[in-house]
Amino acid sequence: MADRDPEVQALLDKKAIEEVLLKFLRGCDRADVDLVERAYWPDGWEDHGGTFDGPASDWVAVIKERLPKAGLMNHMAMNLIVDLKSATTATAECYILTASRLTVKGQEFDTRTLARCVDQMEKRGDEWRILRRTMCWEWNEEHELSETWARGAITRDASLLRRGAKKPDDIIYTAA
């Protein structure tokens, strides 16, 4: 819309970029690879901080196999700053805190990791997506399982709790 106030358009663009990044994280948590794939342009690039550096489509193929088998994980986006460079380009910086429950060599444990992504975003038509992601790792910590649900204050019987799940069983797909 050519007649839109530029400040209003800037807010709408920043919100659209935020939503792309948050849906990407939902895709990772719920093993919804379609959401992950939609975050990147077909010619996008993923530099995953020393663990992968190549076309985003190749990265999506790798995690398409991993995510459904991965343990429980939650990605939390923090300190998101979007700098609009032009009407069609932006840089977004976002800290991502990930909490995961993993099993490696038969041993279950909890791990928390802080990473940071700098995304070169591009708008094509009316849609923003990641053109290039550069990620770095900030820190990681691991702990043996100690899930007591606040030492019984939340519940004494964890089997009664509704828990997060992968697609299609999570509440984001089943709640009315």
Side-chain angles (χ1 to χ4, degrees):
M1 177 180 252
D3 296 335
R4 186 173 282 148
D5 179 308
E7 289 178 346
V8 171
Q9 186 60 53
L11 289 172
L12 292 171
D13 286 335
K14 287 182 176 194
K15 185 63 180 171
I17 290 168
E18 177 185 353
E19 191 153 313
V20 167
L21 300 178
L22 293 178
K23 283 185 176 180
F24 170 89
L25 296 177
R26 176 191 284 171
C28 291
D29 292 343
R30 301 299 141 221
D32 188 337
V33 181
D34 292 337
L35 287 179
V36 173
E37 187 171 37
R38 252 182 274 150
Y40 296 96
W41 287 112
D43 56 336
W45 195 267
E46 172 72 25
D47 176 350
H48 209 72
T51 62
F52 180 91
D53 191 8
S57 58
D58 291 354
W59 171 244
V60 170
V62 167
I63 63 172
K64 183 178 191 173
E65 298 301 317
R66 286 186 192 166
L67 288 177
K69 300 175 211 163
L72 202 63
M73 65 176 69
N74 300 103
H75 291 78
M76 291 146 281
M78 302 173 290
N79 299 359
L80 174 61
I81 298 173
V82 177
D83 291 319
L84 297 173
K85 303 296 185 186
S86 72
T88 59
T89 61
T91 299
E93 178 189 32
C94 185
Y95 286 75
I96 300 170
L97 180 62
T98 306
S100 303
R101 175 151 297 163
L102 301 174
T103 303
V104 175
K105 297 180 183 173
Q107 189 172 35
E108 197 172 30
F109 62 97
D110 289 330
T111 180
R112 284 185 295 230
T113 304
L114 183 67
R116 190 162 39 95
C117 291
V118 175
D119 295 318
Q120 303 307 319
M121 306 295 295
E122 188 171 271
K123 185 178 187 180
R124 298 179 187 174
D126 291 329
E127 187 175 10
W128 286 95
R129 292 191 194 187
I130 301 167
L131 183 60
R132 179 176 179 83
R133 167 165 282 179
T134 305
M135 194 186 90
C136 68
W137 304 95
E138 299 288 347
W139 56 261
N140 173 261
E141 64 182 3
E142 297 174 1
H143 301 280
E144 300 301 318
L145 293 185
S146 61
E147 188 172 88
T148 65
W149 293 99
R151 298 185 179 168
I154 294 173
T155 185
R156 294 197 182 280
D157 184 357
S159 70
L160 300 175
L161 297 175
R162 179 181 304 116
R163 304 293 295 267
K166 304 288 185 182
K167 184 181 180 181
D169 300 319
D170 188 74
I171 63 170
I172 194 66
Y173 306 102
T174 62

